[in-house]
Amino acid sequence: MQGHAEDYRSPGSGANAAIGVLLSHGFTGSPKSMRPLAEHLAADGYGVAVPRLPGHGTSWQEMNKTGWPDWYAVLDNELERLRKEHDQVFLAGLSMGGCLVLRLAEEHGTDISGLVLINPSVRTDDKRMVLLPVLSRLMPSFPGISNDIKKPGMDEGAYDRMPLRALQSLSQLWQTTREDLAKVTQPVLMFRSTVDHVVEPSSGRTVLASISSRDVTETLLEDSYHVATLDNDAPRIFADSTAFIRRVAADA
């Protein structure tokens, strides 16, 4: 396993221990991208969990042996544990992690109190994707985009290759999640970077246009690229996420 790719958990303490937060990293990434947000929430006393998704934090070859049901199952199991240990559970996801937590929200309804989405991916405008079912059988990987971070010296611990079989599975997750977005009724806080070299603006627009949530806030990040949790706007994400969880939990 790569350094800093391990799971991160904190049980919670004090008045906020009644609230758990499940955080999901993105495609080819690792818990490293979500750990600063998780540590911020843990410092406020919230119970947090950032599991490493199967095939991540090891090698892209390993990831090609996994698919979205594997990634989802890990989060689903973690959610079940958090629900037993906390009165309320919130979800937070970056990129593909945003799609996975949207899927959890679709499936689990009122068991989930709210969602924090950071540059969530639910689609792509890349025309090459129509060739993916064929390409993924002919070649194992493409050069990937990792470390799309404006702040110098930051590393999310992602692969530099894009595993194509896993990417094919991700496209199936996108479609499955998009079809059920109207089932999302929970309060949503979405952060979207105005410059993102990985996820196109159409993803965020699709989410906002399709969910049924009444309590929705979109915050544009002007000084960060895709991995905003490790970028210049990270302090704002941390502060706003904490305020959102506190407000929604109190309303409940």
Side-chain angles (χ1 to χ4, degrees), residues 2-148:
Q2 298 172 354
H4 307 293
E6 63 272 7
D7 301 348
Y8 175 76
R9 290 180 185 82
S10 179
S13 61
N16 288 333
I19 298 166
V21 187
L22 174 58
L23 301 95
S24 177
H25 64 77
F27 186 76
T28 78
S30 78
K32 189 176 181 182
S33 63
M34 297 301 278
R35 184 154 181 158
L37 174 55
E39 289 177 343
H40 178 86
L41 293 167
D44 274 345
Y46 298 103
V48 297
V50 192
R52 180 178 66 87
L53 303 181
H56 293 74
T58 52
S59 68
W60 66 261
Q61 293 92 337
E62 187 72 25
M63 190 173 167
N64 254 341
K65 300 172 187 171
T66 69
W68 83 261
D70 304 309
W71 314 327
Y72 182 85
V74 166
L75 293 172
D76 203 31
N77 288 338
E78 201 74 41
L79 174 61
E80 187 178 349
R81 182 185 67 78
L82 287 169
R83 284 190 52 233
K84 288 174 183 167
E85 296 175 3
H86 304 277
D87 297 338
Q88 294 185 58
V89 178
F90 287 78
L91 308 177
L94 167 67
S95 195
M96 174 187 79
C99 189
L100 285 165
V101 301
L102 280 164
R103 185 64 185 155
L104 284 170
E106 291 168 358
E107 295 275 275
H108 290 280
T110 55
D111 288 342
I112 289 157
S113 296
L115 295 112
V116 177
L117 306 173
I118 304 142
N119 292 322
S121 74
V122 297
R123 64 182 309 128
T124 182
D125 303 332
D126 191 332
K127 300 292 186 281
R128 293 174 299 176
M129 288 294 282
V130 297
L131 302 172
L132 191 58
V134 174
L135 283 176
S136 62
R137 288 201 295 272
L138 298 176
M139 56 196 304
S141 71
F142 269 168
I145 301 176
S146 61
N147 288 328
D148 188 35

Side-chain angles (χ1 to χ4, degrees), residues 147-160:
N147 288 328
D148 188 35
I149 305 170
K150 188 175 182 180
K151 187 177 180 179
M154 302 302 289
D155 176 18
E156 65 166 324
Y159 302 144
D160 59 2

